[in-house]
Amino acid sequence: GPLYGAPEDSTDFNPILDPKNHTKTAIKVSPRDPDTPKGVFIASGNFTAGPSPYWGAEPYWSSQSSVHNQMFDQDGRVWMTARIRKPETPAFCREGSDHPSAKLTPMTRAPRSAAVYDPKTKEMKLIDLCFTTHHLIFAEDSNNTLWFSGGGRNAGPVGWLNTKKFLETGDAAASQGWTEIVLDINGN
């Protein structure tokens, strides 16, 4: 059978290939908020939409979670970027918050956050981030810091998640940070 469900669900699934048993399955990543908008993630950007030569003008992929860029950590958990809510950020991300990153760069919108799946416990945790995500990569540090880029020229700040702290506490707000990218071109 097909790896995914219906075409409109295709990026709501995290594919799993078991090379030992020659099987393929998938885990659906569902957003926390059932009113999370559907659509291809990049459709919210300034990309020109055109008809497909194969599928016509009807959108083929229209998911809520828009799972992307899965990475394994040192313990076999799978970390990914995913939409988990509407784009509006929680209060701790915004102006007036005591969060150190919000004091410097308050964030009102972040369309895609993150999730982590533990194949041992079969548990999916959704991680509410203040900055939008596209790609992720682990630093090689004692906190297993996960760095995120927003993707595209208007993506906003880069962000990070102290995965060690998040896994110990479950506190996404206290485990994350973000900053604008500043290029010091005059050395001051």
Side-chain angles (χ1 to χ4, degrees):
L3 175 59
Y4 300 110
E8 65 272 8
D9 295 331
S10 57
T11 57
D12 283 339
F13 285 89
N14 188 35
I16 300 168
L17 174 64
D18 182 344
K20 184 177 178 184
N21 296 310
H22 305 284
T23 59
K24 59 183 181 180
T25 56
I27 297 168
K28 186 169 184 175
V29 180
S30 297
R32 179 180 304 146
D33 179 355
D35 293 328
T36 299
K38 284 188 174 188
V40 177
F41 181 73
I42 61 171
S44 63
N46 295 324
F47 297 94
T48 305
S52 164
Y54 300 101
W55 308 111
E58 183 178 342
Y60 188 71
W61 281 358
S62 178
S63 72
Q64 282 186 294
S65 59
S66 189
V67 173
H68 187 63
N69 196 201
Q70 299 86 341
M71 294 276 178
F72 285 103
D73 70 10
Q74 72 285 350
D75 295 319
R77 288 177 292 259
V78 183
W79 297 79
M80 65 202 83
T81 61
R83 279 190 294 217
I84 66 168
R85 57 165 163 72
K86 294 177 185 173
E88 293 74 28
T89 58
F92 74 87
C93 305
R94 296 170 176 256
E95 192 170 337
S97 168
D98 288 336
H99 193 287
S101 294
K103 287 180 180 179
L104 296 172
T105 309
M107 301 295 294
T108 58
R109 293 179 53 83
R112 186 162 42 195
S113 290
V116 59
Y117 177 73
D118 188 336
K120 294 174 189 165
T121 64
K122 309 283 189 237
E123 182 180 16
M124 179 78 66
K125 292 181 181 176
L126 303 177
I127 308 162
D128 206 343
L129 299 175
C130 297
F131 48 90
T132 197
T133 63
H134 186 66
H135 290 139
L136 52 94
I137 191 164
F138 281 98
E140 296 180 14
D141 63 8
S142 62
N143 292 322
N144 299 313
T145 303
L146 192 55
W147 286 89
F148 298 88
S149 69
R153 64 182 180 175
N154 297 321
V158 295
W160 59 91
L161 180 73
N162 177 331
T163 64
K164 182 178 177 185
K165 186 174 189 175
F166 175 75
L167 291 169
E168 288 172 356
T169 67
D171 188 342
S175 302
Q176 69 179 284
W178 63 95
T179 188
E180 291 287 344
I181 298 173
V182 177
L183 181 59
D184 183 3
I185 58 172
N186 63 3
N188 67 356

